Amino acid sequence: EKGGYEHFMLKEIFEQPRSIMDSMRGRLIADQNHLMMGGIREYANKFVAADRILIVACGTSWHAGLVAEYLFEEFARIPVEVEYASEFRYRNPVIRESDIVIAISQSGETADTLAAIELAKSKGATIFGVCNVVGSSIARASDAGAYTHAGPEIGVASTKAFTAQVTVLTLMALMVAEKRGTMENSRLRQLMVEMENIPAKVEQALKLDAKIQHIADVFKDVPNFLYLGRGYNFPVALEGALKLKEISYIHAEGYPAAEMKHGPIALIDENMPVVVIATKDSSYEKIVSNIQEVKARKGRIIAIVTEGDDVIPDMAEFVIEVPAADEALVPLISVIPLQLLSYHIAVMRGCNVDQPRNLAKSVTVE
Ligand code: F6R
């Protein structure tokens, strides 16, 4: 059942080229200019008219929601707020009938997310579910939705569900942008083609496994990790830190790289590993300065960079090169080495990676 892999988590990490492809199947055919999500079609007018999107989710799904915020705002020019379902539901939030609420959940059973959409529904908002489990409670409670076709995710730490969520949300943002006319046609076409190339790039990124094992061996005994990213890679930093915490029990924090100087920089010394996701994008120069700030304080830098980067390798202790991609699509690739890093560190520490202590695959308590 683990298909020759030692753990479900590793199997699921390696399934991602396939699960991403499955999540696009029938929805995107770039050379035919076909981009269609069945679930959105009926609600297309609502999305076109929406003056706000609220995203509710928990954990890793909330991180996918953060990526979606960047995507919907950049492509479709709709303001987005990303909410922890557990905070949203208890704070008497402002919800309007014109709001579209996107609920993201792998299991479709997360109690807080379900309660958040029930609340939003009672205020007349339109609920759109992005779930992996077919027929789950959240899928059923939604007005419409799009399934992620990641297949069953058994490992408690979410991996392929995250990339499937980001895939579906990217297609949704592109489709809404097309309908709203908020994106240049050439960029839209280019992104459609690039989306189709993502599975092959993820396959490439998976080849980094041996190198990442070596890095894991170097850092497996440290007590703390910091993860930094900017822009589209900021949610990836949060996700990398969460993956490490939950399966290896090493304390880790994800931060927007520019926020470091407002506090966390005080933590940096020669013992602090800092994973910086610094792919070539519009904030590249800025993140290079952030790397310099870490280096000046002797932090141990592990950098995720774009293939061929010739600047950061001189500054970092370890460099992991991932294939180049449009910055809006990079999370699908840059998250892969972080999943592998946490997996290998956890295995080397003798942790039960598929069933970490105190965690459950679906959190049906509030
Ligand atoms: C992290 C993880 C959890 C879930 C969270 C939401 O690896 O597994 O943080 O992402 O409990 O679960 P779903 O997506 O099922 O609503």
Side-chain angles (χ1 to χ4, degrees):
E1 57 190 352
K2 290 183 200 152
Y5 290 95
E6 204 183 330
H7 297 98
F8 283 110
M9 183 180 175
L10 191 62
K11 169 174 177 266
E12 288 160 5
I13 290 172
F14 274 84
E15 273 171 3
Q16 290 176 105
R18 177 64 192 274
S19 51
I20 292 172
M21 198 146 31
D22 287 345
S23 299
M24 293 193 286
R25 180 159 300 126
R27 294 169 169 169
L28 171 71
I29 308 168
D31 64 10
Q32 292 173 21
N33 233 338
H34 169 86
L35 177 61
M36 182 49 70
M37 315 280 291
I40 291 196
R41 190 166 26 203
E42 287 169 54
Y43 284 82
N45 292 339
K46 283 239 172 204
F47 269 99
V48 169
D51 42 30
R52 184 168 75 147
I53 293 174
L54 295 169
I55 297 180
V56 294
C58 302
T60 288
S61 297
W62 185 81
H63 296 155
L66 282 182
V67 177
E69 173 178 28
Y70 287 67
L71 292 165
F72 273 97
E73 293 204 343
E74 184 188 345
F75 298 170
R77 307 305 295 152
I78 303 174
V80 178
E81 283 170 48
V82 190
E83 304 275 358
Y84 285 117
S86 57
E87 284 299 317
F88 177 78
R89 58 176 291 209
Y90 288 116
R91 73 152 192 260
N92 195 10
V94 177
I95 305 168
R96 307 181 199 117
E97 281 185 25
S98 56
D99 286 335
I100 293 188
V101 176
I102 302 178
I104 308 172
S105 177
Q106 187 287 127
S107 63
E109 301 299 340
T110 301
D112 282 320
T113 308
L114 183 59
I117 63 174
E118 299 289 7
L119 172 67
K121 221 160 121 177
S122 73
K123 309 278 185 200
T126 303
I127 317 296
F128 198 90
V130 176
C131 297
N132 194 46
V133 176
V134 176
S136 55
S137 303
I138 293 170
R140 281 184 285 120
S142 300
D143 296 306
Y147 282 112
T148 49
H149 296 289
E153 191 179 62
I154 312 291
V156 164
S158 187
T159 53
K160 65 174 180 170
F162 172 78
T163 47
Q165 288 164 344
V166 173
T167 299
V168 165
L169 291 159
T170 304
L171 298 187
M172 281 172 63
L174 287 172
M175 198 181 139
V176 173
E178 185 175 40
K179 298 233 173 295
R180 284 170 62 94
T182 45
M183 220 171 155
E184 268 187 41
N185 219 41
S186 56
R187 171 124 163 98
L188 181 67
R189 300 297 151 225
Q190 173 214 341
L191 284 168
M192 286 170 67
V193 172
E194 280 226 33
M195 269 312 275
E196 284 187 338
N197 294 332
I198 291 289
K201 291 182 184 180
V202 169
E203 196 77 65
Q204 280 288 112
L206 289 167
K207 296 199 177 118
L208 298 161
D209 194 42
K211 173 153 199 197
I212 293 167
Q213 265 188 66
H214 167 67
I215 299 173
D217 194 46
V218 173
F219 290 99
K220 63 180 187 303
D221 297 317
V222 304
N224 292 293
F225 255 91
L226 211 55
Y227 286 73
L228 303 176
R230 300 179 79 115
Y232 282 95
N233 280 322
F234 158 54
V236 176
L238 297 184
E239 176 59 7
L242 178 62
K243 284 291 85 92
L244 188 70
K245 281 184 265 218
E246 62 183 340
I247 60 168
S248 77
Y249 318 138
I250 294 176
H251 169 247
E253 279 193 66
Y255 246 86
E259 271 293 304
M260 192 180 56
K261 57 184 165 300
H262 300 286
I265 198 164
L267 294 166
I268 295 173
D269 63 12
E270 68 278 10
N271 299 314
M272 179 63 98
V274 184
V275 177
V276 189
I277 309 136
T279 47
K280 283 257 166 71
D281 60 23
S282 51
S283 48
Y284 177 75
E285 301 299 331
K286 298 275 177 195
I287 204 150
V288 168
S289 343
N290 298 134
I291 292 175
Q292 266 150 356
E293 290 158 10
V294 174
K295 196 174 164 60
R297 287 152 188 93
K298 303 196 169 55
R300 303 185 67 180
I301 298 154
I302 304 156
I304 314 292
V305 304
T306 303
E307 257 165 21
D309 187 308
D310 53 7
V311 173
I312 298 176
D314 291 335
M315 305 163 64
E317 183 174 345
F318 292 100
V319 163
I320 299 170
E321 289 190 62
V322 294
D326 188 283
E327 71 173 84
L329 310 184
V330 131
L332 291 166
I333 297 162
S334 56
V335 76
I336 306 291
L338 305 188
Q339 295 170 343
L340 287 168
L341 182 65
S342 62
Y343 171 79
H344 288 299
I345 289 180
V347 169
M348 288 170 189
R349 288 165 69 92
C351 299
N352 184 349
V353 295
D354 281 337
Q355 283 191 296
R357 66 188 184 201
N358 310 338
L359 293 173
K361 187 64 189 162
S362 64
V363 183
T364 51
V365 292
E366 307 189 8

